[in-house]
Amino acid sequence: MRIIRTTDYDDMSRKAANIISAQVILKPDSVLGLATGTTPLAAYKQLIRWCDRGDVDFSEVSTYNLDEYRGLTHDDPQSYHYFMRKNFFDHINIDLSRTHVPDGSNPDADAACADYDKLVHDAGYPDLQLLGIGNNGHIGFNEPDKYFSKGTHCVDLTESTIKANSRLFDREEDVPRQAYTMGVQTIMYARMILVIASGEAKAEAVRRMCFGPVDPECPASILQLHTNCVVIADEAALSQCPEA
Ligand code: F6R
């Protein structure tokens, strides 16, 4: 695990965008694993600017998002389908038919998850997987648990995640209670993992991810065992990691 310390959120975002853009320049038909949330927003904006200028070309790229709320249709403004189009896909030259997000509108959880696993498997797994980290150490929606999850599955969101995500909803009651998420094993199949983290609220999770025991109670800690994992975090997120 390599840790890159940045001064602040903007610096973290530019560095992450640089790495994603280098991946796409080196391999134009890259498979990218993508994340939603607040953390990647400025990196996506930066990539949009570079795409506009012709510096990076997404026309052959395929994408697979980590997760989606169960029960939301693709055009629901709170869905991750909608988020990705609004914040990234609608502004770059990507072929939308090559973008994939778990199908939260399919009420048959087993079928929705098995279909998604097959898609990611058939694509050969991501060349680069972008990850944010939850305050409780979750990656994707893999919440703290007694064991590490494997493939895509349906999860009950923890109270801490519902609370954290409620900032994007009108009311906490509106946050869906379940989601479909890639499993930890699927995430670990990516050839490179890029974790981004910003802000004091992430400091404990970042410390446990990088320096704690590998423990499913902090799902991100398994990334210590990945052979090519880069963490880009700002001073505040690394404030509990003086050794980094
Ligand atoms: C999003 C996802 C989550 C977020 C995490 C951090 O697709 O899988 O694991 O990366 O909850 O969210 P933010 O970036 O909003 O702090």
Side-chain angles (χ1 to χ4, degrees):
M1 185 176 256
R2 203 166 344 143
I3 302 173
I4 299 174
R5 183 183 283 266
T6 69
T7 46
D8 56 20
Y9 175 73
D10 288 341
D11 188 17
M12 175 206 78
S13 303
R14 269 195 316 277
K15 287 187 165 64
N18 264 301
I19 291 173
I20 296 167
S21 134
Q23 168 65 44
V24 174
I25 291 167
L26 288 167
K27 185 170 183 257
D29 62 347
S30 287
V31 177
L32 300 181
L34 296 180
T36 60
T38 312
T39 316
L41 282 174
Y44 290 152
K45 278 209 178 92
Q46 182 68 72
L47 289 168
I48 291 167
R49 280 195 291 273
W50 285 334
C51 182
D52 264 354
R53 288 193 337 208
D55 290 342
V56 57
D57 174 8
F58 289 93
S59 60
E60 292 176 51
V61 165
S62 310
T63 65
Y64 293 83
N65 263 78
L66 286 164
D67 42 20
E68 176 61 285
Y69 288 118
R70 185 183 190 195
L72 299 191
T73 57
H74 299 188
D75 53 359
D76 187 308
Q78 301 293 358
S79 74
Y80 287 173
H81 274 87
Y82 187 93
F83 175 101
M84 289 307 297
R85 289 196 58 163
K86 180 169 141 233
N87 292 298
F88 197 33
F89 299 151
D90 282 351
H91 312 286
I92 57 172
N93 65 335
I94 199 162
D95 174 353
L96 282 178
S97 70
R98 291 189 216 256
T99 65
H100 308 84
V101 180
D103 184 6
S105 68
N106 184 350
D108 182 342
D110 290 345
C113 294
D115 288 353
Y116 200 66
D117 259 349
K118 183 165 175 356
L119 277 179
V120 183
H121 172 270
D122 291 352
Y125 297 101
D127 293 297
L128 185 156
Q129 173 69 58
L130 178 66
L131 294 179
I133 178 170
N135 297 353
N136 62 2
H138 74 217
I139 48 175
F141 271 130
N142 294 283
E143 301 283 17
D145 207 336
K146 297 273 167 286
Y147 57 89
F148 289 109
S149 64
K150 296 193 169 61
T152 305
H153 58 290
C154 181
V155 287
D156 295 327
L157 303 185
T158 60
E159 276 312 310
S160 119
T161 297
I162 292 166
K163 217 173 205 35
N165 290 6
S166 65
R167 70 192 190 280
L168 306 169
F169 290 76
D170 289 339
R171 298 168 314 163
E172 196 172 311
E173 306 89 271
D174 297 339
V175 184
R177 268 36 190 178
Q178 288 188 311
Y180 300 149
T181 181
M182 267 187 205
V184 169
Q185 185 179 47
T186 317
I187 292 171
M188 290 291 281
Y189 283 144
R191 284 174 284 291
M192 178 182 182
I193 294 184
L194 178 59
V195 189
I196 50 176
S198 170
E200 180 71 39
K202 300 290 170 72
E204 189 188 344
V206 168
R207 178 182 56 75
R208 293 179 72 195
M209 166 174 70
C210 300
F211 298 103
V214 174
D215 177 354
E217 292 295 343
C218 175
S221 63
I222 196 148
L223 300 173
Q224 291 174 40
L225 304 184
H226 195 278
T227 50
N228 190 13
C229 176
V230 175
V231 177
I232 306 185
D234 63 15
E235 292 286 357
L238 283 171
S239 56
Q240 292 189 22
C241 304
E243 61 275 64

